[in-house]
Amino acid sequence: MTFGFASSSAASLSTSASAASASRLLEPAEWAAAGIPLLRNPREIVSGLHARHRPRPSMAVVAVLDPEERLCASASFIRRPAPADGWMFRNALLAQLRRIIPHDLRRRTPVRTAVLLYCREGEARWTEEDGAWMWGLRDACTLHGLRCGAYITLTGDGWQVLGEGRGGRHPNAHSEPESFAMSQVPPLPPRTGGPVSEVLRRAAAR
């Protein structure tokens, strides 16, 4: 009797843990229904971030835009080899946002918007890893007082704003950066992840 109860409890806990892990991702339909603001000129933003950070596969670039879609700050970091988990991605993005820009939690309504560009191998279509990044971006924005903006993938086929159906062939995951054209202000120096490695390491340990 005791053995059967323990086994049932273990199975229940295992199922609950799996369900919790699976819930930390957003399906394309959920993302599309979340009211993510559309970018006026996504190619310009993608080209600007590509020129500034020179992303390669497994690199994420998080950027904060003002209401006119001018760049306020940006940072890039390498995704550590670990199972895709929205909670871990959330922590990594939040650590970068805290490094590069003050929070807007005192505002009643978010003014600035965070967008995420993730460079990866594979096809341009949605993957569970993308879903985990979407979940992480949305949660990190909420915790930092920002609007959740576009999630953009950069693959060998080009770039794509997931949930919008907009994209292009250049730049792509293997192309050389184009000339900087995202804003008229001097480009901000790129910031690369430092503390994020420790954040991801702690998250993986949990």
Side-chain angles (χ1 to χ4, degrees):
M1 294 291 291
T2 304
F3 176 79
F5 178 78
S7 176
S8 176
S9 298
S12 177
L13 289 173
S14 176
T15 301
S16 298
S18 298
S21 177
S23 69
R24 291 195 291 260
L25 63 83
L26 293 176
E27 299 280 349
E30 294 176 295
W31 182 256
I36 306 299
L38 300 179
L39 294 171
R40 291 195 293 268
N41 194 336
R43 188 184 187 283
E44 184 176 291
I45 291 175
V46 172
S47 296
L49 293 177
H50 187 263
R52 177 175 284 109
H53 293 275
R54 299 171 179 263
R56 287 294 179 262
S58 296
M59 179 182 286
V61 180
V62 60
V64 180
L65 310 177
D66 71 9
E68 301 302 319
E69 289 195 359
R70 291 186 297 251
L71 183 68
C72 299
S74 64
S76 61
F77 60 98
I78 299 294
R79 178 210 191 293
R80 294 179 64 84
D85 185 285
W87 182 81
M88 187 168 65
F89 291 165
R90 185 276 308 273
N91 288 349
L93 291 168
L94 191 57
Q96 294 300 323
L97 289 171
R98 286 171 173 166
R99 287 178 57 239
I100 63 177
I101 200 162
H103 68 74
D104 278 346
L105 293 172
R106 292 185 178 88
R107 292 182 177 273
R108 292 185 178 180
T109 304
V111 174
R112 297 179 293 190
T113 302
V115 300
L116 178 62
L117 172 70
Y118 181 56
C119 184
R120 62 170 173 79
E121 300 285 6
E123 300 178 1
R125 62 184 179 83
W126 181 89
T127 66
E128 288 192 358
E129 181 184 24
D130 296 323
W133 278 116
M134 289 171 166
W135 190 96
L137 176 63
R138 186 185 65 177
D139 216 42
C141 287
T142 298
L143 294 174
H144 206 62
L146 302 171
R147 286 201 310 172
C148 179
Y151 172 69
I152 307 162
T153 58
L154 193 68
T155 66
D157 295 330
W159 59 273
Q160 180 179 358
V161 184
L162 291 191
E164 293 186 21
R166 292 190 291 176
R169 294 185 178 181
H170 297 284
N172 58 58
H174 308 292
S175 64
E176 290 299 317
E178 300 177 3
S179 59
F180 183 83
M182 195 165 72
S183 70
Q184 296 179 350
V185 299
L188 299 170
R191 295 194 179 193
T192 54
V196 68
S197 298
E198 181 63 25
V199 171
L200 291 177
R201 200 160 29 245
R202 290 178 182 174
R206 293 177 186 175

